[in-house]
Amino acid sequence: MAENIRNVAIIAHVDHGKTTLVDVLLKNSGIYRDNEQVEERVMDSNDLERERGITILSKNTSVHYNGVKINIVDTPGHADFGGEVERVLGMVEGVLLVVDAFEGAMPQTRFVLKKALELDLKPIVVVNKIDRPQARPSEVIDEVLDLFIELGASDEQADFPIIYTSAKQGTSGYETYEQEDNMLALFDTILKYVPAPTGDESAPLQMLVSNIDYDEYIGRIAVGKVARGSIKYGENISICRADGATANVKVGRLYTFDGLKRQETEMVTAGDICSIAGLGDVNIGETLCDSSHIDPLPVIEVDEPTISMNFLVNNSPFAGQEGDFVTSRHLRERLFRELETNVSLKVEETDSADCFKVSGRGELHLSILIETMRRQGYEFQVSRPQVIFKEKNGKILEPIEELVIDVPEEFAGNVIEKLGSRKAEMTNMHPTDGGYMRLEFKIPSRGLIGYRSEFLTDTKGNGVMNSVLDGFSEYRGEIEMRDRGSLIAWETGDTVTYGLVNAETRGRLFVGPGVHVYEGMIVGENAKNEDLTVNVCKKKHVTNMRAAGSDDTVKLTPPLILSLEQCLEFISDDELVEITPESIRLRKKILSKSDRDKLAGRMKKQQ
């Protein structure tokens, strides 16, 4: 019965404690044995999620409380994975808006709350981490209320219930000073305020596919909420495609969520969330219908991509040495397969068969795809991220981000100066506890490309920055993105200490001794605003003459090893990042120095 079901999504800014809260809800519901060993952040099952400490994919679970089944959807908190949030909100009737008791409402809080209010979902505000030393729960509630009003919430939506929790300690309560060592207050609030799902169980079947799972034994699994009617194991149904076509399929296996497991069942009725296997080529946004009553639901709409980059077949001198999938066919198949589950991604073919334009919601969105592909054995190259512009009424529009920075007061001036040169406009500035300043800006998306690593250096690792897409505005003019050139390898060979010592006087090195390099590969950052070719493979000339002390041990500064995100931020328009399962290398598009010089000469003549 739908009266005994509640569907809720947990939404929040990144690192405000959503996944930890799910952990404690599962423990309080009694799904584990008393002696069972349970990992932390159990819903972050993906290797990349565990390594980075962030949720990337939306996932389903369920708990039982007082005879009611509560389906819970854990969502990502990072703005780049907003497509994961948007598509699952259609499966629920209520949301738990988790807010950090110290940080308060952040950019992603605004984004996810706006989507929830547009769908008229019932919000419950969960003020988490009240055990933090600098917690300020009453001020945070005022900030959240202001945000509700600013987003145009109705009187009913703005009259939200509040629960105070410390997910890490496993406590909850209706007041900060009345905390119990369980989550019963939150469970009771969900049952009281989140409405039961609607839908006529006797009507013809209608279900929107909101997510796609995969099992190596049974293949693709469609996940969604039954909007009306019921679905039975083994029955024949129809898939309504996005282009209006229909296909007849048979339900191979039918599951509901029970704790962390999928429970096989014979029938699922309106209001419940289920998984269906055996449907073959089914995609997100398609509708499952009764074959005798074709009635598709509206296709899920997600915000458009803002950043694009080219994915190219690797053509470096080291191509094919480390990867299993290296051809354009492999690359094409993998990218188009990603579209089936990654709804906010866009892949376009170009004039070249070896190049594909891939667009996403941000650098992190695309870098996670790149990292996933390289771990699967793919070898390829990517270009510098480019912002996607729009044209309206003859004017060029560019994406603008709302940027919030928390930084120690002594570094605030430097941050403001750097962002000013990147066309940022400050909208707010106020002190917070602990000698920190909160700075708020509106900045073009392209102004943030390459800034994160510079920001960490400028603040000595003490600053925190978060951004979310705010909309499109008129083009703000040219931005000087990089004020330093590259150190480029002169020839192919192995790096030698003698050659590196000479190159080190020119800037920072990215490689140490004994590294195999090729001509045109970037081995460091020049201290000046120009590219410089250096011979890092140069060996000391051997003679029978020796001066006193000439054979003393040479000490090199340890090389700067760039992460994938730092590589994408570093490269300029004439450079590429070479991605293989074992290595990440930087290179010039044109490897030969003479060819680069000829091109530069022609460009100079044209000017």
Side-chain angles (χ1 to χ4, degrees), residues 375-547:
R375 292 185 183 204
Q376 293 170 347
Y378 287 84
E379 183 177 310
F380 54 99
Q381 300 174 130
V382 294
S383 68
R384 184 169 181 264
Q386 300 285 347
V387 165
I388 299 172
F389 296 102
K390 286 183 176 181
E391 190 170 334
K392 190 175 182 181
N393 300 328
K395 294 180 179 178
I396 297 176
L397 305 180
E398 64 174 332
I400 303 293
E401 308 262 344
E402 181 184 336
L403 175 66
V404 176
I405 287 179
D406 288 300
V407 64
E409 290 178 9
E410 64 264 32
F411 303 127
N414 197 7
V415 170
I416 293 168
E417 183 184 347
K418 288 283 183 72
L419 288 173
S421 67
R422 290 170 173 263
K423 308 295 184 184
E425 293 179 3
M426 182 181 286
T427 57
N428 197 4
M429 173 181 177
H430 59 88
T432 56
D433 293 341
Y436 272 67
M437 295 290 290
R438 173 161 291 185
L439 313 174
E440 298 178 16
F441 300 88
K442 295 289 177 69
I443 182 171
S445 295
R446 61 197 169 96
L448 284 175
I449 295 174
Y451 176 65
R452 192 172 295 274
S453 54
E454 197 176 317
F455 170 75
L456 290 174
T457 303
D458 290 345
T459 62
K460 298 183 179 176
N462 290 305
V464 178
M465 59 182 282
N466 293 285
S467 65
V468 68
L469 182 67
D470 187 60
F472 283 77
S473 180
E474 281 191 42
Y475 182 70
R476 295 190 179 180
E478 290 295 322
I479 297 175
E480 184 66 44
M481 301 301 289
R482 189 171 131 193
D483 59 358
R484 296 189 179 184
S486 300
L487 298 178
I488 306 161
W490 171 269
E491 63 182 350
T492 300
D494 292 328
T495 56
V496 178
T497 302
Y498 183 72
L500 290 171
V501 168
N502 293 327
E504 195 176 56
T505 61
R506 303 291 190 160
R508 288 192 303 177
L509 293 178
F510 299 156
V511 295
V515 177
H516 206 41
V517 300
Y518 53 80
E519 181 189 3
M521 180 172 156
I522 296 170
V523 294
E525 180 185 49
N526 192 6
K528 296 183 179 179
N529 188 16
E530 58 186 19
D531 290 339
L532 182 68
T533 304
V534 292
N535 191 354
V536 289
C537 302
K538 183 180 180 182
K539 296 180 181 177
K540 188 173 183 179
H541 186 58
V542 179
T543 70
N544 59 0
M545 301 293 290
R546 288 288 181 270

